[in-house]
Amino acid sequence: MLTFYWARGTCARATHIALEDAGASYEARRIDFAKAEQRSPEYLAINPKGRVPALVTPQGVVTETPALLVYIAQTHPQARLADLTDPFAFAQLQAFASYLCSTVHVMHAHDPRGARWADDPSSWADMKQKSHGNMRDCFQLIERAMFKGPWALGDAYSVIDPYLFTIASWLEGHGVDVAEFPRVAAHFRRMGERDSVRRVLDAESA
Amino acid sequence: MLTFYWARGTCARATHIALEDAGASYEARRIDFAKAEQRSPEYLAINPKGRVPALVTPQGVVTETPALLVYIAQTHPQARLADLTDPFAFAQLQAFASYLCSTVHVMHAHDPRGARWADDPSSWADMKQKSHGNMRDCFQLIERAMFKGPWALGDAYSVIDPYLFTIASWLEGHGVDVAEFPRVAAHFRRMGERDSVRRVLDAESA
């Protein structure tokens, strides 16, 4: 049995969808950021980083979206959510995840979470302002050089698809229309029609 | 044959050491950031992100440190640089790499590269100032909650070791003494004695 910790509107959505895609048996527990539950002693005992997502497995806790997506794919091979056998194909999956995690998510976070990296409110306003163009630049690169189609990595659906969908859902908050990136926009629509995605979005709005 | 693109003082050092640890057959090509070679049309054709590291393989280009480290481990199994078979053990490796990549490297980058995330020089100064304490906080977490010892993941050396070594080498530039973190400091010294590491540091200072 797995216990999955998530919060609304966060990157945990990607792992949440992957758990649904995998047909995993798990219990979902929502962490309320508005109540700072991610910094409670109880949650810090699970994830000392005070972040979501986190997955409690029979062997211990797994954190970090790229690690979780691969873990879910590897432990649910029947769902065929990643090519784990060909090193080059797997490296492409990993590189996509790493770019989303360490560049695109970070660009986004400079809008709501500038206080992580600077102390002065004028710096936060500067970061917020610049984050919008940075997100556009990232998605231009994804559209032009990374997205294979019809799924992120090509013909086969993979755990990268819910991750891309999750981060693309943040574009609207930056005033960037996903329609600027036609292939990503088509992917975004197609993802929104999947039962696994609908179940997760319903859980987030419940 | 592999062609490895790297630059001095960057996170490419981790992949460079892993290539040496693996006994890989590769040609190293230095990209000179001082001449903005990472933004030359020739290099952008290899890595449209204009970053290092990048590895040209017979099947195509691999980028992003976490992807490269696993790719090298997976294609050089005799070097035993990662436990790729046990999903939980592999998830721990992946989570460590992801934290170094998306949190610690990013904290560091706010010192030299604030212009990525803000436009005003006063914001850059603010980020630079805050980066030092953020790096200390990250290494306190690594020392306390992530580092297993004697190697990063426990008894077995892995590709996480050169990655941790590479990022720990940036502490000095933040005015943070690695000795504040005794287990990481012992690891840093032990890494510096390895032949693979010495060969890479020699190449960087050549």
Side-chain angles (χ1 to χ4, degrees):
Chain A
M1 182 63 168
L2 304 168
T3 306
F4 175 60
Y5 291 86
W6 64 282
R8 283 185 179 135
T10 68
C11 67
R13 183 181 294 172
T15 301
H16 207 165
I17 296 169
L19 286 165
E20 288 290 323
D21 283 329
S25 173
Y26 70 100
E27 179 191 349
R29 291 193 193 162
R30 186 164 80 86
I31 298 297
D32 190 342
F33 279 18
K35 296 180 183 166
E37 287 179 353
Q38 76 274 28
R39 289 192 289 275
S40 69
E42 294 76 15
Y43 189 69
L44 290 174
I46 294 163
N47 183 3
K49 291 178 259 190
R51 302 271 179 92
V52 292
L55 188 71
V56 181
T57 80
Q59 289 173 281
V61 180
V62 180
T63 60
E64 303 283 338
T65 298
L68 282 160
L69 294 176
V70 168
Y71 177 81
I72 291 164
Q74 205 168 7
T75 52
H76 298 80
Q78 80 292 347
R80 303 169 67 90
L81 293 172
D83 182 345
L84 299 155
T85 52
D86 178 68
F88 182 76
F90 186 52
Q92 296 308 302
L93 181 153
Q94 296 264 87
F96 210 129
S98 187
Y99 182 69
L100 291 176
C101 180
S102 62
T103 296
V104 194
H105 186 153
V106 169
M107 292 300 191
H108 162 72
H110 282 74
D111 176 352
R113 304 196 194 285
R116 272 187 196 158
W117 298 288
D119 290 323
D120 195 302
S122 72
S123 305
W124 307 339
D126 190 357
M127 292 173 176
K128 181 184 284 286
Q129 182 57 36
K130 195 173 177 71
S131 70
H132 312 321
N134 279 338
M135 287 295 278
R136 176 174 282 115
D137 290 346
C138 288
F139 273 85
Q140 283 174 344
L141 182 80
I142 291 169
E143 174 83 7
R144 175 172 57 82
M146 294 173 63
F147 186 87
K148 296 287 199 315
W151 302 109
L153 300 179
D155 290 334
Y157 183 89
S158 77
V159 287
I160 298 303
D161 293 299
Y163 201 8
L164 178 61
F165 171 77
T166 296
I167 293 190
S169 74
W170 297 340
L171 286 170
E172 188 178 4
H174 290 277
V176 178
D177 188 343
V178 70
E180 290 184 32
F181 323 103
R183 300 194 306 144
V184 171
H187 176 265
F188 191 72
R189 279 194 304 274
R190 205 175 319 118
M191 285 296 295
E193 293 163 359
R194 289 174 67 89
D195 287 344
S196 58
V197 174
R198 289 181 180 207
R199 285 194 296 273
V200 169
L201 296 181
D202 286 349
E204 287 198 37
S205 58
Chain B
M1 181 64 168
L2 304 168
T3 307
F4 175 60
Y5 291 86
W6 63 282
R8 281 186 181 136
T10 68
C11 67
R13 183 181 293 172
T15 302
H16 208 166
I17 295 169
L19 285 164
E20 288 290 323
D21 284 329
S25 173
Y26 71 100
E27 180 192 349
R29 291 194 194 162
R30 187 165 80 86
I31 297 297
D32 190 342
F33 279 18
K35 295 179 184 167
E37 287 178 353
Q38 77 273 28
R39 289 191 290 274
S40 68
E42 294 77 15
Y43 188 69
L44 289 175
I46 293 163
N47 183 3
K49 290 179 260 190
R51 303 271 179 93
V52 292
L55 188 70
V56 180
T57 80
Q59 290 173 278
V61 180
V62 179
T63 61
E64 304 281 340
T65 298
L68 282 159
L69 294 175
V70 169
Y71 177 81
I72 291 165
Q74 205 168 7
T75 52
H76 298 81
Q78 79 292 347
R80 304 169 66 90
L81 294 171
D83 182 345
L84 300 155
T85 53
D86 177 68
F88 182 76
F90 187 52
Q92 297 308 303
L93 182 152
Q94 296 264 85
F96 210 129
S98 187
Y99 182 69
L100 292 176
C101 180
S102 62
T103 296
V104 194
H105 186 153
V106 170
M107 292 300 192
H108 162 72
H110 283 74
D111 177 351
R113 303 195 195 285
R116 273 187 195 158
W117 298 289
D119 289 323
D120 195 302
S122 73
S123 305
W124 306 340
D126 191 356
M127 292 173 176
K128 180 183 284 285
Q129 183 57 35
K130 195 172 179 71
S131 70
H132 311 320
N134 279 338
M135 286 295 278
R136 176 175 282 116
D137 290 346
C138 288
F139 273 85
Q140 283 174 344
L141 182 80
I142 291 169
E143 174 82 8
R144 175 172 57 82
M146 295 174 62
F147 186 87
K148 296 289 200 314
W151 302 110
L153 299 179
D155 290 334
Y157 183 89
S158 76
V159 287
I160 298 303
D161 293 300
Y163 201 8
L164 178 62
F165 171 77
T166 295
I167 292 191
S169 75
W170 297 340
L171 286 170
E172 188 178 4
H174 291 277
V176 177
D177 188 343
V178 71
E180 291 183 32
F181 322 104
R183 301 193 306 143
V184 171
H187 176 265
F188 191 73
R189 280 193 302 275
R190 204 175 320 116
M191 284 297 294
E193 293 163 0
R194 288 174 67 89
D195 288 343
S196 58
V197 174
R198 289 181 180 209
R199 285 195 296 273
V200 169
L201 295 181
D202 285 349
E204 287 198 37
S205 59

